[in-house]
Amino acid sequence: MRILGLTGGIATGKSTVSNILRADKFPIVDADLIAREVVQPGTPGHRRIVAAFGTTVLQDDTDPNSPLDRAKLGTRVFSDPEARAKVNAATHPYIRLEMMRQMLWHFLTGSSAVILDTPLLFEAHLSRWVHLIIVVYVPKQLQKDRLMIRDGIDRTAANQRIDSQMDIEAKRQLAQIVIDNTGTLDETRENVKAVLPKLRPSRIFSAVVWAVLLWPAALCYSGLSVYRWLKI
């Protein structure tokens, strides 16, 4: 199975491209969605966040089992590198395990390719585990303008959020495939369509790999599923 790393910067349109690829029958492992799941009340991620920041980052600061106040935590994370490091340390191990579990599931069910959709492909050192890197690109000024409009924030806040990630120009240089998202949605669809032949491996190669790795993958998937159920 070919693992395709899809990334970009905040407000560059990565989710738009991910949805286009999903419509073309590519399975998606969505790191943003997983990041929300691993900090739900009762999870180890939630407990580690509360241990690091206290109950002040919860919706109800009198209840340690209250859901996270994402806006409050986000304000701290985007403006404070030390706070960002604490959140990453608390959540990234669980995010990686769940991403691996989902990728194994797609392999076991016969997918020839899977999209690993993550904004932190490089920052979290996940790029080493993918076969092909796809970067969704817009120039930094357009990125900033779109972010301000989308989130209703001022320029200072937009700069803080953009600067918390790796520069989009640096990501562009590391990509094997760059998808330009500066135009209309239809233009972006055409840009994605143009690269589709490069994304899926041959059926023969996929079948051979599946036959060789089926049982090891099944054992790993079972172990990760039990670990997830136990919420250790």
Side-chain angles (χ1 to χ4, degrees):
M1 183 177 72
R2 181 173 290 173
I3 302 172
L4 309 168
L6 176 66
T7 192
I10 188 170
T12 62
K14 177 182 62 64
S15 295
T16 297
V17 171
S18 181
N19 288 333
I20 294 170
L21 290 167
R22 183 181 283 108
D24 276 298
K25 309 304 181 185
F26 281 89
I28 308 292
V29 175
D30 188 335
D32 284 337
L33 181 59
I34 293 170
R36 291 177 178 270
E37 292 174 350
V38 302
V39 293
Q40 291 299 309
T43 61
H46 184 277
R47 291 193 292 270
R48 292 182 68 175
I49 291 288
V50 174
F53 295 97
T55 58
T56 59
V57 295
L58 303 181
Q59 293 178 18
D60 179 357
D61 61 12
T62 66
D63 179 6
N65 295 313
S66 173
L68 291 179
D69 186 325
R70 300 186 65 84
K72 192 183 297 182
L73 183 60
T75 299
R76 292 185 63 174
V77 165
F78 288 124
S79 61
D80 183 353
E82 184 177 345
R84 186 159 60 249
K86 287 181 180 180
V87 170
N88 291 344
T91 60
H92 280 192
Y94 304 108
I95 293 171
R96 288 192 180 101
L97 287 174
E98 179 59 16
M99 288 167 65
M100 176 62 71
R101 193 187 72 85
Q102 291 187 20
M103 285 190 290
L104 286 168
W105 171 253
H106 290 303
F107 173 77
L108 291 170
T109 53
S111 296
S112 62
V114 63
I115 305 291
L116 180 56
D117 177 353
T118 171
L120 302 180
L121 184 70
F122 299 110
E123 295 91 329
H125 308 294
L126 296 172
S127 57
R128 70 187 76 175
W129 304 113
V130 306
H131 299 109
L132 195 66
I133 297 171
I134 307 166
V135 168
V136 182
Y137 173 79
V138 299
K140 194 168 184 177
Q141 185 57 53
L142 180 56
Q143 179 188 12
K144 189 183 302 181
D145 292 343
R146 287 181 175 179
L147 179 59
M148 292 169 63
I149 294 170
R150 188 192 74 181
D151 291 0
I153 57 177
D154 61 22
R155 190 166 300 276
T156 298
N159 284 331
Q160 285 179 341
R161 297 187 183 195
I162 290 171
D163 291 344
S164 72
Q165 298 181 348
M166 183 176 173
D167 185 77
I168 189 63
E169 297 295 340
K171 291 184 178 183
R172 184 186 190 189
Q173 293 299 315
L174 294 171
Q176 280 89 44
I177 294 176
V178 176
I179 296 177
D180 188 307
N181 190 36
T182 58
T184 65
L185 179 57
D186 286 339
E187 289 171 335
T188 299
R189 284 198 184 98
E190 288 301 312
N191 292 338
V192 173
K193 184 179 178 180
V195 305
L196 288 180
K198 302 178 183 179
L199 303 186
R200 284 193 173 95
S202 72
R203 291 184 178 179
I204 294 175
F205 176 79
S206 297
V208 170
V209 172
W210 187 86
V212 170
L213 297 179
L214 172 61
W215 287 110
L219 287 172
C220 289
Y221 175 78
S222 298
L224 289 172
S225 295
V226 170
Y227 180 87
R228 181 175 184 259
W229 178 75
L230 291 174
K231 294 183 178 181
I232 299 173

